[in-house]
Short mmCIF file of all heavy atoms in Angstrom, two decimals:
data_model
loop_
_atom_site.label_atom_id
_atom_site.label_comp_id
_atom_site.label_asym_id
_atom_site.label_seq_id
_atom_site.Cartn_x
_atom_site.Cartn_y
_atom_site.Cartn_z
N PHE A 1 -8.97 -0.14 3.83
CA PHE A 1 -8.44 0.89 4.87
C PHE A 1 -7.74 0.19 6.03
O PHE A 1 -6.87 0.81 6.76
CB PHE A 1 -9.65 1.74 5.25
CG PHE A 1 -10.00 2.70 4.21
CD1 PHE A 1 -11.15 2.51 3.39
CD2 PHE A 1 -9.24 3.79 3.89
CE1 PHE A 1 -11.51 3.35 2.43
CE2 PHE A 1 -9.49 4.75 2.97
CZ PHE A 1 -10.63 4.56 2.14
N ARG A 2 -8.09 -1.00 6.37
CA ARG A 2 -7.33 -1.68 7.42
C ARG A 2 -5.93 -1.83 7.01
O ARG A 2 -5.04 -1.57 7.84
CB ARG A 2 -8.00 -3.07 7.71
CG ARG A 2 -7.42 -3.82 8.83
CD ARG A 2 -7.94 -5.24 8.98
NE ARG A 2 -9.29 -5.28 9.32
CZ ARG A 2 -10.34 -5.68 8.63
NH1 ARG A 2 -10.13 -6.04 7.31
NH2 ARG A 2 -11.60 -5.64 8.99
N ALA A 3 -5.73 -2.21 5.82
CA ALA A 3 -4.28 -2.34 5.35
C ALA A 3 -3.73 -0.99 5.26
O ALA A 3 -2.52 -0.83 5.54
CB ALA A 3 -4.35 -3.04 4.01
N TRP A 4 -4.38 -0.06 4.71
CA TRP A 4 -3.84 1.36 4.54
C TRP A 4 -3.36 1.93 5.90
O TRP A 4 -2.33 2.56 6.02
CB TRP A 4 -4.81 2.32 3.93
CG TRP A 4 -4.21 3.55 3.39
CD1 TRP A 4 -3.69 3.83 2.22
CD2 TRP A 4 -4.11 4.69 4.12
NE1 TRP A 4 -3.19 5.09 2.14
CE2 TRP A 4 -3.39 5.63 3.33
CE3 TRP A 4 -4.44 5.15 5.43
CZ2 TRP A 4 -3.08 6.97 3.76
CZ3 TRP A 4 -4.15 6.43 5.93
CH2 TRP A 4 -3.50 7.29 5.06
N TYR A 5 -4.28 1.98 6.90
CA TYR A 5 -3.91 2.54 8.14
C TYR A 5 -2.65 1.81 8.79
O TYR A 5 -1.87 2.52 9.34
CB TYR A 5 -5.14 2.39 9.15
CG TYR A 5 -6.24 3.50 9.02
CD1 TYR A 5 -7.62 3.07 8.74
CD2 TYR A 5 -5.94 4.83 9.08
CE1 TYR A 5 -8.49 4.06 8.63
CE2 TYR A 5 -7.00 5.80 8.97
CZ TYR A 5 -8.25 5.31 8.74
OH TYR A 5 -9.22 6.30 8.67
N ASP A 6 -2.70 0.49 8.62
CA ASP A 6 -1.56 -0.15 9.20
C ASP A 6 -0.23 0.19 8.61
O ASP A 6 0.85 0.29 9.29
CB ASP A 6 -1.78 -1.69 9.11
CG ASP A 6 -0.71 -2.50 9.64
OD1 ASP A 6 -0.32 -2.35 10.84
OD2 ASP A 6 -0.11 -3.31 8.86
N ALA A 7 -0.30 0.49 7.37
CA ALA A 7 0.94 0.76 6.51
C ALA A 7 1.35 2.26 6.56
O ALA A 7 2.52 2.56 6.67
CB ALA A 7 0.81 0.26 5.16
N PHE A 8 0.31 3.09 6.41
CA PHE A 8 0.70 4.49 6.00
C PHE A 8 0.13 5.62 6.94
O PHE A 8 0.61 6.75 6.72
CB PHE A 8 0.12 4.71 4.57
CG PHE A 8 0.54 3.86 3.55
CD1 PHE A 8 -0.37 3.15 2.76
CD2 PHE A 8 1.91 3.59 3.32
CE1 PHE A 8 0.10 2.31 1.73
CE2 PHE A 8 2.37 2.77 2.39
CZ PHE A 8 1.46 2.14 1.52
N ALA A 9 -0.77 5.27 7.88
CA ALA A 9 -1.40 6.46 8.57
C ALA A 9 -0.43 7.28 9.24
O ALA A 9 0.38 6.92 10.03
CB ALA A 9 -2.42 5.83 9.62
N PRO A 10 -0.33 8.64 8.85
CA PRO A 10 0.58 9.61 9.43
C PRO A 10 0.15 10.12 10.67
O PRO A 10 0.95 10.80 11.36
CB PRO A 10 0.63 10.64 8.33
CG PRO A 10 -0.70 10.66 7.76
CD PRO A 10 -1.19 9.22 7.78
N GLY A 11 -1.10 10.02 11.15
CA GLY A 11 -1.59 10.57 12.30
C GLY A 11 -2.62 9.61 13.01
O GLY A 11 -2.69 8.39 12.70
N GLU A 12 -3.49 10.14 13.78
CA GLU A 12 -4.54 9.42 14.38
C GLU A 12 -5.60 8.98 13.40
O GLU A 12 -6.11 9.85 12.68
CB GLU A 12 -5.22 10.28 15.47
CG GLU A 12 -6.30 9.57 16.20
CD GLU A 12 -7.00 10.43 17.17
OE1 GLU A 12 -6.51 11.57 17.40
OE2 GLU A 12 -8.12 10.13 17.76
N ALA A 13 -5.99 7.77 13.42
CA ALA A 13 -7.12 7.25 12.56
C ALA A 13 -8.33 7.72 13.12
O ALA A 13 -8.59 7.78 14.30
CB ALA A 13 -7.02 5.71 12.45
N GLN A 14 -9.20 8.24 12.25
CA GLN A 14 -10.57 8.71 12.63
C GLN A 14 -11.59 8.24 11.54
O GLN A 14 -11.58 8.81 10.42
CB GLN A 14 -10.53 10.16 12.57
CG GLN A 14 -9.66 10.80 13.80
CD GLN A 14 -9.90 12.26 13.89
OE1 GLN A 14 -10.39 12.97 13.05
NE2 GLN A 14 -9.44 12.84 15.12
N VAL A 15 -12.29 7.21 11.92
CA VAL A 15 -13.32 6.71 11.08
C VAL A 15 -14.67 7.30 11.54
O VAL A 15 -15.20 6.93 12.60
CB VAL A 15 -13.34 5.16 11.05
CG1 VAL A 15 -14.52 4.63 10.17
CG2 VAL A 15 -12.04 4.57 10.65
N ILE A 16 -15.18 8.19 10.82
CA ILE A 16 -16.51 8.84 11.14
C ILE A 16 -17.59 8.07 10.57
O ILE A 16 -17.60 7.83 9.33
CB ILE A 16 -16.49 10.32 10.64
CG1 ILE A 16 -15.47 11.15 11.36
CG2 ILE A 16 -17.85 10.90 10.92
CD1 ILE A 16 -15.35 12.54 10.89
N THR A 17 -18.59 7.76 11.40
CA THR A 17 -19.70 7.01 10.88
C THR A 17 -21.06 7.74 11.15
O THR A 17 -21.05 8.56 12.13
CB THR A 17 -19.79 5.59 11.58
OG1 THR A 17 -19.88 5.73 12.98
CG2 THR A 17 -18.60 4.73 11.28
N LEU A 18 -21.98 7.52 10.38
CA LEU A 18 -23.31 8.13 10.50
C LEU A 18 -24.33 6.98 10.64
O LEU A 18 -24.36 6.05 9.76
CB LEU A 18 -23.59 9.02 9.29
CG LEU A 18 -25.07 9.55 9.10
CD1 LEU A 18 -25.37 10.51 10.29
CD2 LEU A 18 -25.20 10.24 7.85
N ARG A 19 -25.16 7.03 11.55
CA ARG A 19 -26.18 6.02 11.81
C ARG A 19 -27.58 6.67 11.85
O ARG A 19 -27.70 7.87 12.30
CB ARG A 19 -26.05 5.27 13.08
CG ARG A 19 -24.82 4.36 13.08
CD ARG A 19 -24.81 3.49 14.34
NE ARG A 19 -23.64 2.65 14.31
CZ ARG A 19 -23.51 1.49 13.73
NH1 ARG A 19 -24.60 0.98 13.18
NH2 ARG A 19 -22.36 0.77 13.76
N ARG A 20 -28.60 6.04 11.29
CA ARG A 20 -29.90 6.32 11.51
C ARG A 20 -30.61 5.19 12.24
O ARG A 20 -30.72 4.09 11.66
CB ARG A 20 -30.62 6.64 10.21
CG ARG A 20 -30.12 7.98 9.61
CD ARG A 20 -30.78 8.41 8.30
NE ARG A 20 -30.26 9.58 7.73
CZ ARG A 20 -30.35 9.97 6.48
NH1 ARG A 20 -30.88 9.09 5.65
NH2 ARG A 20 -29.88 11.07 6.03
N GLY A 21 -31.01 5.43 13.45
CA GLY A 21 -31.39 4.28 14.24
C GLY A 21 -30.18 3.39 14.49
O GLY A 21 -29.10 3.87 14.74
N SER A 22 -30.33 2.11 14.11
CA SER A 22 -29.15 1.17 14.36
C SER A 22 -28.49 0.98 13.02
O SER A 22 -27.49 0.30 12.97
CB SER A 22 -29.73 -0.09 14.82
OG SER A 22 -30.65 -0.76 13.95
N ALA A 23 -28.94 1.59 11.88
CA ALA A 23 -28.42 1.26 10.64
C ALA A 23 -27.22 2.19 10.25
O ALA A 23 -27.42 3.42 10.37
CB ALA A 23 -29.46 1.43 9.51
N LEU A 24 -26.17 1.66 9.83
CA LEU A 24 -25.05 2.51 9.31
C LEU A 24 -25.35 2.92 7.91
O LEU A 24 -25.57 2.20 6.96
CB LEU A 24 -23.66 1.65 9.28
CG LEU A 24 -22.45 2.30 8.87
CD1 LEU A 24 -21.99 3.30 9.94
CD2 LEU A 24 -21.36 1.39 8.46
N VAL A 25 -25.40 4.28 7.76
CA VAL A 25 -25.82 4.87 6.45
C VAL A 25 -24.67 5.69 5.82
O VAL A 25 -24.76 6.18 4.72
CB VAL A 25 -27.02 5.70 6.65
CG1 VAL A 25 -28.22 4.83 6.91
CG2 VAL A 25 -26.82 6.84 7.57
N GLY A 26 -23.53 5.87 6.48
CA GLY A 26 -22.33 6.60 5.97
C GLY A 26 -21.05 6.39 6.82
O GLY A 26 -21.18 6.15 7.98
N VAL A 27 -19.98 6.44 6.07
CA VAL A 27 -18.61 6.28 6.63
C VAL A 27 -17.63 7.07 5.87
O VAL A 27 -17.66 7.01 4.68
CB VAL A 27 -18.25 4.81 6.91
CG1 VAL A 27 -18.17 4.12 5.45
CG2 VAL A 27 -17.02 4.59 7.65
N VAL A 28 -16.72 7.65 6.65
CA VAL A 28 -15.60 8.41 5.97
C VAL A 28 -14.32 8.17 6.77
O VAL A 28 -14.27 8.53 7.90
CB VAL A 28 -15.88 9.85 5.71
CG1 VAL A 28 -16.24 10.60 6.96
CG2 VAL A 28 -14.69 10.46 5.05
N PRO A 29 -13.32 7.51 6.09
CA PRO A 29 -12.01 7.25 6.94
C PRO A 29 -11.11 8.35 6.71
O PRO A 29 -10.73 8.80 5.55
CB PRO A 29 -11.60 5.96 6.19
CG PRO A 29 -12.10 5.95 4.86
CD PRO A 29 -13.40 6.85 4.84
N LEU A 30 -10.58 8.87 7.82
CA LEU A 30 -9.74 10.11 7.84
C LEU A 30 -8.48 9.94 8.74
O LEU A 30 -8.40 8.86 9.43
CB LEU A 30 -10.46 11.35 8.33
CG LEU A 30 -11.78 11.65 7.65
CD1 LEU A 30 -12.60 12.68 8.43
CD2 LEU A 30 -11.61 12.20 6.21
N THR A 31 -7.64 10.82 8.69
CA THR A 31 -6.48 10.94 9.63
C THR A 31 -6.60 12.41 10.15
O THR A 31 -7.02 13.28 9.52
CB THR A 31 -5.10 10.66 9.10
OG1 THR A 31 -4.70 11.61 8.17
CG2 THR A 31 -5.05 9.21 8.45
N SER A 32 -6.05 12.58 11.38
CA SER A 32 -6.02 13.95 11.97
C SER A 32 -4.68 14.09 12.62
O SER A 32 -4.17 13.22 13.34
CB SER A 32 -7.12 13.96 13.06
OG SER A 32 -7.10 15.19 13.60
N ARG A 33 -4.12 15.30 12.34
CA ARG A 33 -2.81 15.71 13.02
C ARG A 33 -2.73 17.19 13.04
O ARG A 33 -2.85 17.72 12.00
CB ARG A 33 -1.69 14.99 12.23
CG ARG A 33 -0.36 15.22 12.90
CD ARG A 33 0.75 14.54 12.00
NE ARG A 33 2.06 14.57 12.76
CZ ARG A 33 3.17 14.25 12.13
NH1 ARG A 33 3.22 13.82 10.87
NH2 ARG A 33 4.28 14.33 12.81
N ARG A 34 -2.45 17.73 14.18
CA ARG A 34 -2.24 19.03 14.39
C ARG A 34 -3.23 20.05 13.72
O ARG A 34 -3.00 21.00 13.09
CB ARG A 34 -0.86 19.46 13.90
CG ARG A 34 0.29 18.80 14.59
CD ARG A 34 1.63 19.17 14.05
NE ARG A 34 2.77 18.50 14.69
CZ ARG A 34 4.02 18.56 14.37
NH1 ARG A 34 4.39 19.25 13.31
NH2 ARG A 34 4.92 17.92 15.08
N GLY A 35 -4.50 19.66 13.94
CA GLY A 35 -5.61 20.45 13.42
C GLY A 35 -5.89 20.39 11.97
O GLY A 35 -6.72 21.15 11.45
N VAL A 36 -5.26 19.33 11.32
CA VAL A 36 -5.52 19.09 9.85
C VAL A 36 -6.16 17.76 9.78
O VAL A 36 -5.64 16.79 10.26
CB VAL A 36 -4.21 19.15 9.05
CG1 VAL A 36 -4.53 18.84 7.54
CG2 VAL A 36 -3.55 20.55 9.23
N VAL A 37 -7.32 17.73 9.03
CA VAL A 37 -8.00 16.43 8.85
C VAL A 37 -7.72 16.10 7.35
O VAL A 37 -8.10 16.91 6.45
CB VAL A 37 -9.49 16.62 9.08
CG1 VAL A 37 -10.29 15.40 8.61
CG2 VAL A 37 -9.77 16.74 10.58
N ARG A 38 -7.26 14.83 7.16
CA ARG A 38 -6.98 14.35 5.79
C ARG A 38 -7.73 13.12 5.50
O ARG A 38 -8.10 12.41 6.40
CB ARG A 38 -5.52 14.12 5.61
CG ARG A 38 -4.63 15.30 5.67
CD ARG A 38 -3.20 14.96 5.52
NE ARG A 38 -2.28 16.09 5.40
CZ ARG A 38 -1.68 16.71 6.36
NH1 ARG A 38 -1.90 16.33 7.65
NH2 ARG A 38 -0.80 17.79 6.21
N ALA A 39 -8.13 12.93 4.13
CA ALA A 39 -8.52 11.62 3.77
C ALA A 39 -7.50 10.71 4.04
O ALA A 39 -6.30 10.82 3.87
CB ALA A 39 -8.84 11.81 2.21
N ALA A 40 -7.93 9.35 4.32
CA ALA A 40 -7.05 8.26 4.48
C ALA A 40 -6.64 7.85 3.13
O ALA A 40 -7.16 6.73 2.64
CB ALA A 40 -7.69 7.22 5.36
N SER A 41 -5.74 8.54 2.39
CA SER A 41 -5.35 8.27 1.11
C SER A 41 -3.94 8.86 0.89
O SER A 41 -3.48 9.68 1.57
CB SER A 41 -6.26 8.84 0.11
OG SER A 41 -6.37 10.35 0.21
N ASN A 42 -3.27 8.24 -0.18
CA ASN A 42 -1.96 8.65 -0.57
C ASN A 42 -1.74 8.18 -2.02
O ASN A 42 -2.67 7.81 -2.76
CB ASN A 42 -0.90 8.16 0.28
CG ASN A 42 -0.77 6.70 0.41
OD1 ASN A 42 -1.49 5.91 -0.37
ND2 ASN A 42 0.10 6.18 1.34
N TRP A 43 -0.58 8.24 -2.46
CA TRP A 43 -0.23 7.84 -3.94
C TRP A 43 -0.57 6.40 -4.21
O TRP A 43 -0.48 6.01 -5.37
CB TRP A 43 1.14 8.30 -4.25
CG TRP A 43 1.38 9.77 -4.29
CD1 TRP A 43 1.84 10.48 -3.25
CD2 TRP A 43 0.93 10.61 -5.34
NE1 TRP A 43 1.83 11.88 -3.72
CE2 TRP A 43 1.26 11.97 -4.94
CE3 TRP A 43 0.39 10.49 -6.61
CZ2 TRP A 43 1.07 13.10 -5.70
CZ3 TRP A 43 0.24 11.64 -7.36
CH2 TRP A 43 0.48 12.94 -6.96
N HIS A 44 -0.81 5.67 -3.27
CA HIS A 44 -1.23 4.15 -3.46
C HIS A 44 -2.68 4.10 -3.58
O HIS A 44 -3.30 3.02 -3.69
CB HIS A 44 -0.64 3.39 -2.38
CG HIS A 44 0.83 3.30 -2.37
ND1 HIS A 44 1.63 2.53 -3.24
CD2 HIS A 44 1.64 3.89 -1.50
CE1 HIS A 44 2.88 2.67 -2.99
NE2 HIS A 44 2.98 3.62 -1.90
N THR A 45 -3.47 5.20 -3.50
CA THR A 45 -4.90 5.18 -3.47
C THR A 45 -5.37 5.63 -4.83
O THR A 45 -5.14 6.80 -5.27
CB THR A 45 -5.49 6.18 -2.46
OG1 THR A 45 -4.97 5.92 -1.12
CG2 THR A 45 -6.97 6.13 -2.45
N PRO A 46 -6.11 4.75 -5.55
CA PRO A 46 -6.62 5.15 -6.89
C PRO A 46 -7.74 6.28 -6.87
O PRO A 46 -7.73 7.16 -7.70
CB PRO A 46 -7.37 3.94 -7.45
CG PRO A 46 -6.57 2.77 -6.71
CD PRO A 46 -6.35 3.33 -5.34
N GLU A 47 -8.54 6.34 -5.83
CA GLU A 47 -9.51 7.36 -5.64
C GLU A 47 -10.07 7.28 -4.23
O GLU A 47 -10.17 6.20 -3.69
CB GLU A 47 -10.69 7.10 -6.62
CG GLU A 47 -11.76 8.18 -6.52
CD GLU A 47 -13.04 7.76 -7.11
OE1 GLU A 47 -13.18 6.56 -7.74
OE2 GLU A 47 -14.08 8.59 -7.12
N PHE A 48 -10.39 8.39 -3.69
CA PHE A 48 -11.00 8.46 -2.31
C PHE A 48 -12.45 8.91 -2.49
O PHE A 48 -12.61 9.90 -3.25
CB PHE A 48 -10.15 9.38 -1.37
CG PHE A 48 -10.69 9.48 -0.04
CD1 PHE A 48 -10.45 8.49 0.83
CD2 PHE A 48 -11.64 10.46 0.39
CE1 PHE A 48 -10.95 8.56 2.28
CE2 PHE A 48 -12.10 10.58 1.55
CZ PHE A 48 -11.81 9.58 2.52
#
């Protein structure tokens, strides 16, 4: 995703993380533009 955001991100990068205590237990990389939230994926992405 570091490479994907640098090359393709069409809007603001938004990496949402979920923690319990200090432990990271979830993450979802997205983009946001004009009220639409999208997966950080495109035709170069095998699966999101």
Side-chain angles (χ1 to χ4, degrees):
F1 286 104
R2 184 185 292 112
W4 190 93
Y5 278 124
D6 178 58
F8 303 127
E12 178 188 349
Q14 294 189 341
V15 179
I16 297 177
T17 60
L18 170 67
R19 292 183 182 275
R20 290 180 181 157
S22 61
L24 182 71
V25 296
V27 60
V28 55
L30 306 167
T31 67
S32 177
R33 187 180 183 187
R34 297 180 180 175
V36 178
V37 168
R38 294 182 173 87
S41 62
N42 62 4
W43 291 97
H44 298 284
T45 305
E47 181 198 0
F48 181 84

